[in-house]
Amino acid sequence: MTVLLSSGRARRVALPVAFCVGLAAVLTACGEDPDEGTNGVGKLSATEIERKAQTAANAAGAVRLAGTLVTQGETYKLNMRLKANGGTGTVTSKNSTFQLLRIEDALFLKADAGFWNHADDEGGDGDGGKESAKPSASDAEAADKLQDKYVKVPEDDPSYEQLSGFTDMKVLLAGILTLHGKLNKGDRDRIGGVKTIKINGGEGDGGTLDVSLEGAPYPLQLVRAGGAGTLSLADWGRDFELAAPAKGETVDYGSRLPATSD
């Protein structure tokens, strides 16, 4: 026997059923796992995430590092490709832009005439840092010969260690991938379309690191403590060629370069 409900009673039955179905959908959505489809590091503690990121970075064969770096009171803009045996890219300081290329211990520097003129002028005139006189005709002539040529930096030159540091993947990563203060987990974000989890040093004043939630937990962005710059890290593990400049592209400066720090 079929029981027929009146239209009013049918509506009264349907409403609670619809409400329950809708509520279940809401509860299911609220209970979704934010780490579903990720590499799972978002479930770890901030300390464990930092360790995972550092391990992934150390295991990678190469990286592209770009952004600003403030060190010893100087601000540099970097766009470098780095790997274990060297690196190449551009560094911009307050007064100049120059290219660096290092293959093993051989370090080359390429810059325009303005860089070399400024380098010859560095250090002032010994009177409280005042600007020295303009370059002489011989200085200008030398700068013209050096401009846009690769100059090999002698290993015993005072500038070798500083300049080569910009091309040393291990040194750079060790120096920048460190947060200060007690670590804590921050918000989830996206860097270049990739899901990330932030870890903060202190309340963020000790630096903030975005770690990838997709694939290997690589560091993707670092905001350094104390306003010491923001760096993006990409192309992890993507190899690139390092080739020594052709003989016609190089020039010998001599046993020692002029001071090149700003």
PDB file of all heavy atoms in Angstrom, residues 179-180 182 184 199-208 223-226:
ATOM      1  N   LEU A 179      67.191  31.804  10.609  1.00  0.00           N
ATOM      2  CA  LEU A 179      66.250  32.703  11.290  1.00  0.00           C
ATOM      3  C   LEU A 179      66.701  32.885  12.732  1.00  0.00           C
ATOM      4  O   LEU A 179      67.337  32.022  13.313  1.00  0.00           O
ATOM      5  CB  LEU A 179      64.837  32.119  11.247  1.00  0.00           C
ATOM      6  CG  LEU A 179      64.273  31.852   9.841  1.00  0.00           C
ATOM      7  CD1 LEU A 179      62.902  31.192   9.938  1.00  0.00           C
ATOM      8  CD2 LEU A 179      64.191  33.139   9.033  1.00  0.00           C
ATOM      9  N   HIS A 180      66.365  34.031  13.306  1.00  0.00           N
ATOM     10  CA  HIS A 180      66.811  34.359  14.662  1.00  0.00           C
ATOM     11  C   HIS A 180      65.625  34.384  15.623  1.00  0.00           C
ATOM     12  O   HIS A 180      64.527  34.796  15.265  1.00  0.00           O
ATOM     13  CB  HIS A 180      67.519  35.711  14.663  1.00  0.00           C
ATOM     14  CG  HIS A 180      68.674  35.782  13.713  1.00  0.00           C
ATOM     15  ND1 HIS A 180      69.899  35.211  13.978  1.00  0.00           N
ATOM     16  CD2 HIS A 180      68.789  36.331  12.473  1.00  0.00           C
ATOM     17  CE1 HIS A 180      70.712  35.410  12.977  1.00  0.00           C
ATOM     18  NE2 HIS A 180      70.070  36.092  12.033  1.00  0.00           N
ATOM     19  N   LYS A 182      63.080  32.442  18.667  1.00  0.00           N
ATOM     20  CA  LYS A 182      62.279  31.218  18.732  1.00  0.00           C
ATOM     21  C   LYS A 182      61.460  31.074  17.465  1.00  0.00           C
ATOM     22  O   LYS A 182      60.807  32.011  17.013  1.00  0.00           O
ATOM     23  CB  LYS A 182      61.356  31.257  19.952  1.00  0.00           C
ATOM     24  CG  LYS A 182      60.532  29.990  20.127  1.00  0.00           C
ATOM     25  CD  LYS A 182      59.656  30.069  21.374  1.00  0.00           C
ATOM     26  CE  LYS A 182      58.826  28.795  21.530  1.00  0.00           C
ATOM     27  NZ  LYS A 182      57.960  28.865  22.735  1.00  0.00           N
ATOM     28  N   ASN A 184      58.474  29.853  15.003  1.00  0.00           N
ATOM     29  CA  ASN A 184      57.051  29.526  15.048  1.00  0.00           C
ATOM     30  C   ASN A 184      56.487  29.509  13.641  1.00  0.00           C
ATOM     31  O   ASN A 184      57.031  30.134  12.723  1.00  0.00           O
ATOM     32  CB  ASN A 184      56.284  30.520  15.933  1.00  0.00           C
ATOM     33  CG  ASN A 184      56.427  31.953  15.437  1.00  0.00           C
ATOM     34  OD1 ASN A 184      55.690  32.381  14.560  1.00  0.00           O
ATOM     35  ND2 ASN A 184      57.391  32.692  15.989  1.00  0.00           N
ATOM     36  N   ILE A 199      57.656  30.145   8.163  1.00  0.00           N
ATOM     37  CA  ILE A 199      58.175  29.997   9.516  1.00  0.00           C
ATOM     38  C   ILE A 199      58.870  31.303   9.875  1.00  0.00           C
ATOM     39  O   ILE A 199      59.574  31.897   9.060  1.00  0.00           O
ATOM     40  CB  ILE A 199      59.128  28.787   9.659  1.00  0.00           C
ATOM     41  CG1 ILE A 199      60.242  28.812   8.618  1.00  0.00           C
ATOM     42  CG2 ILE A 199      58.369  27.486   9.572  1.00  0.00           C
ATOM     43  CD1 ILE A 199      61.283  27.724   8.817  1.00  0.00           C
ATOM     44  N   ASN A 200      58.618  31.745  11.090  1.00  0.00           N
ATOM     45  CA  ASN A 200      59.110  33.041  11.539  1.00  0.00           C
ATOM     46  C   ASN A 200      60.119  32.882  12.663  1.00  0.00           C
ATOM     47  O   ASN A 200      59.985  32.009  13.521  1.00  0.00           O
ATOM     48  CB  ASN A 200      57.952  33.903  12.045  1.00  0.00           C
ATOM     49  CG  ASN A 200      56.872  34.101  11.004  1.00  0.00           C
ATOM     50  OD1 ASN A 200      57.158  34.451   9.867  1.00  0.00           O
ATOM     51  ND2 ASN A 200      55.622  33.863  11.378  1.00  0.00           N
ATOM     52  N   GLY A 201      61.111  33.765  12.666  1.00  0.00           N
ATOM     53  CA  GLY A 201      62.011  33.873  13.796  1.00  0.00           C
ATOM     54  C   GLY A 201      61.450  34.919  14.744  1.00  0.00           C
ATOM     55  O   GLY A 201      61.182  36.046  14.331  1.00  0.00           O
ATOM     56  N   GLY A 202      61.226  34.564  16.010  1.00  0.00           N
ATOM     57  CA  GLY A 202      60.561  35.483  16.924  1.00  0.00           C
ATOM     58  C   GLY A 202      59.140  35.706  16.449  1.00  0.00           C
ATOM     59  O   GLY A 202      58.432  34.779  16.076  1.00  0.00           O
ATOM     60  N   GLU A 203      58.722  36.973  16.407  1.00  0.00           N
ATOM     61  CA  GLU A 203      57.398  37.317  15.891  1.00  0.00           C
ATOM     62  C   GLU A 203      57.494  37.780  14.442  1.00  0.00           C
ATOM     63  O   GLU A 203      56.611  38.480  13.945  1.00  0.00           O
ATOM     64  CB  GLU A 203      56.785  38.418  16.759  1.00  0.00           C
ATOM     65  CG  GLU A 203      56.547  38.022  18.194  1.00  0.00           C
ATOM     66  CD  GLU A 203      55.599  36.844  18.315  1.00  0.00           C
ATOM     67  OE1 GLU A 203      54.605  36.800  17.554  1.00  0.00           O
ATOM     68  OE2 GLU A 203      55.852  35.953  19.155  1.00  0.00           O
ATOM     69  N   GLY A 204      58.545  37.394  13.780  1.00  0.00           N
ATOM     70  CA  GLY A 204      58.784  37.822  12.410  1.00  0.00           C
ATOM     71  C   GLY A 204      59.951  38.775  12.312  1.00  0.00           C
ATOM     72  O   GLY A 204      60.509  38.983  11.229  1.00  0.00           O
ATOM     73  N   ASP A 205      60.337  39.366  13.473  1.00  0.00           N
ATOM     74  CA  ASP A 205      61.472  40.287  13.455  1.00  0.00           C
ATOM     75  C   ASP A 205      62.800  39.556  13.343  1.00  0.00           C
ATOM     76  O   ASP A 205      63.848  40.174  13.157  1.00  0.00           O
ATOM     77  CB  ASP A 205      61.462  41.177  14.695  1.00  0.00           C
ATOM     78  CG  ASP A 205      61.409  40.383  16.000  1.00  0.00           C
ATOM     79  OD1 ASP A 205      61.246  39.147  15.944  1.00  0.00           O
ATOM     80  OD2 ASP A 205      61.514  40.999  17.077  1.00  0.00           O
ATOM     81  N   GLY A 206      62.768  38.233  13.465  1.00  0.00           N
ATOM     82  CA  GLY A 206      63.973  37.433  13.299  1.00  0.00           C
ATOM     83  C   GLY A 206      64.063  36.825  11.914  1.00  0.00           C
ATOM     84  O   GLY A 206      64.893  35.952  11.654  1.00  0.00           O
ATOM     85  N   GLY A 207      63.219  37.313  10.992  1.00  0.00           N
ATOM     86  CA  GLY A 207      63.217  36.813   9.625  1.00  0.00           C
ATOM     87  C   GLY A 207      62.043  35.877   9.375  1.00  0.00           C
ATOM     88  O   GLY A 207      61.490  35.276  10.304  1.00  0.00           O
ATOM     89  N   THR A 208      61.648  35.775   8.116  1.00  0.00           N
ATOM     90  CA  THR A 208      60.544  34.905   7.711  1.00  0.00           C
ATOM     91  C   THR A 208      60.950  34.118   6.475  1.00  0.00           C
ATOM     92  O   THR A 208      61.446  34.697   5.500  1.00  0.00           O
ATOM     93  CB  THR A 208      59.270  35.716   7.411  1.00  0.00           C
ATOM     94  OG1 THR A 208      58.848  36.400   8.587  1.00  0.00           O
ATOM     95  CG2 THR A 208      58.149  34.806   6.937  1.00  0.00           C
ATOM     96  N   VAL A 223      62.657  36.706   3.930  1.00  0.00           N
ATOM     97  CA  VAL A 223      62.699  38.101   4.373  1.00  0.00           C
ATOM     98  C   VAL A 223      63.649  38.121   5.558  1.00  0.00           C
ATOM     99  O   VAL A 223      63.354  37.556   6.610  1.00  0.00           O
ATOM    100  CB  VAL A 223      61.305  38.615   4.778  1.00  0.00           C
ATOM    101  CG1 VAL A 223      61.395  40.065   5.261  1.00  0.00           C
ATOM    102  CG2 VAL A 223      60.337  38.510   3.599  1.00  0.00           C
ATOM    103  N   ARG A 224      64.810  38.741   5.391  1.00  0.00           N
ATOM    104  CA  ARG A 224      65.854  38.673   6.405  1.00  0.00           C
ATOM    105  C   ARG A 224      65.547  39.566   7.599  1.00  0.00           C
ATOM    106  O   ARG A 224      64.852  40.582   7.486  1.00  0.00           O
ATOM    107  CB  ARG A 224      67.210  39.053   5.802  1.00  0.00           C
ATOM    108  CG  ARG A 224      67.634  38.163   4.645  1.00  0.00           C
ATOM    109  CD  ARG A 224      69.041  38.511   4.178  1.00  0.00           C
ATOM    110  NE  ARG A 224      70.027  38.053   5.151  1.00  0.00           N
ATOM    111  CZ  ARG A 224      71.197  38.653   5.338  1.00  0.00           C
ATOM    112  NH1 ARG A 224      71.493  39.759   4.670  1.00  0.00           N
ATOM    113  NH2 ARG A 224      72.055  38.170   6.208  1.00  0.00           N
ATOM    114  N   ALA A 225      66.071  39.172   8.739  1.00  0.00           N
ATOM    115  CA  ALA A 225      65.852  39.925   9.974  1.00  0.00           C
ATOM    116  C   ALA A 225      66.469  41.310   9.866  1.00  0.00           C
ATOM    117  O   ALA A 225      67.468  41.516   9.171  1.00  0.00           O
ATOM    118  CB  ALA A 225      66.471  39.163  11.154  1.00  0.00           C
ATOM    119  N   GLY A 226      65.848  42.267  10.557  1.00  0.00           N
ATOM    120  CA  GLY A 226      66.405  43.604  10.650  1.00  0.00           C
ATOM    121  C   GLY A 226      66.418  44.375   9.351  1.00  0.00           C
ATOM    122  O   GLY A 226      67.247  45.273   9.166  1.00  0.00           O
TER     123      GLY A 226
END
